[in-house]
Amino acid sequence: MHPQPEEYWGNVNTIGPTRCYDEAKRFAEAMTMAYHREHKVETRIVRIFNTYGPRMRLNDGRVVPAFISQALTNEPITIFGKGTQTRSFCYYSDLIEGILSPDDERLRSAREHRQPDRDDHAPVR
């Protein structure tokens, strides 16, 4: 189901090859909520997905590095399936900005000290 609505609780195959990844995410969210309820503190759950950015390895098996690798070598771009899939991608600095509140001092400081020639524009490896 893509795009997935926020209300969708998921369908996890508990014995499939990626079960550890899926179950670890569910466990982390459950522990966050248990901590919130027990200690009455503010918590946040961030569901990171399809994030890309500098220093990704071109052969790591993910779609963005594969597209870049194929484009750089003048190869046809591979689309698996029927080509009807939809995905949302998020650049890493947008992810960080989304996680940290715009009012957060850490984010303001990071923006003021950003070195675009280092982090935002590093080459894909």
Side-chain angles (χ1 to χ4, degrees):
M1 172 185 330
H2 295 286
Q4 291 180 351
E6 193 65 29
E7 298 79 31
Y8 178 64
W9 287 95
N11 180 15
V12 176
N13 178 349
T14 58
I15 59 171
T18 63
R19 71 192 174 283
C20 292
Y21 175 74
D22 300 332
E23 293 296 345
K25 290 195 312 182
R26 291 165 58 110
F27 177 75
E29 289 188 15
M31 291 301 293
T32 299
M33 291 309 299
Y35 191 86
H36 164 74
R37 290 183 191 106
E38 178 67 23
H39 298 286
K40 313 278 190 281
V41 296
E42 189 175 322
T43 58
R44 297 277 193 273
I45 294 174
V46 178
R47 293 182 178 163
I48 300 171
F49 62 96
N50 296 334
T51 303
Y52 68 97
R55 297 179 189 81
M56 293 179 78
R57 290 184 302 276
L58 289 177
N59 61 349
D60 73 359
R62 291 182 285 174
V63 68
V64 171
F67 285 174
I68 293 170
S69 176
Q70 290 172 332
L72 290 174
T73 57
N74 282 333
E75 295 177 31
I77 303 295
T78 303
I79 305 291
F80 294 98
K82 296 179 181 179
T84 59
Q85 307 92 321
T86 61
R87 296 289 182 274
S88 297
F89 294 96
C90 184
Y91 192 64
Y92 85 102
S93 60
D94 295 329
L95 170 71
I96 293 168
E97 189 164 346
I99 291 171
L100 299 174
S101 167
D103 297 328
D104 190 316
E105 180 58 37
R106 293 172 298 175
L107 181 59
R108 211 170 21 257
S109 177
R111 279 192 192 125
E112 291 168 5
H113 296 96
R114 176 184 273 172
Q115 296 177 356
D117 58 325
R118 285 193 53 198
D119 292 327
D120 286 342
H121 300 91
V124 175
R125 293 183 194 165

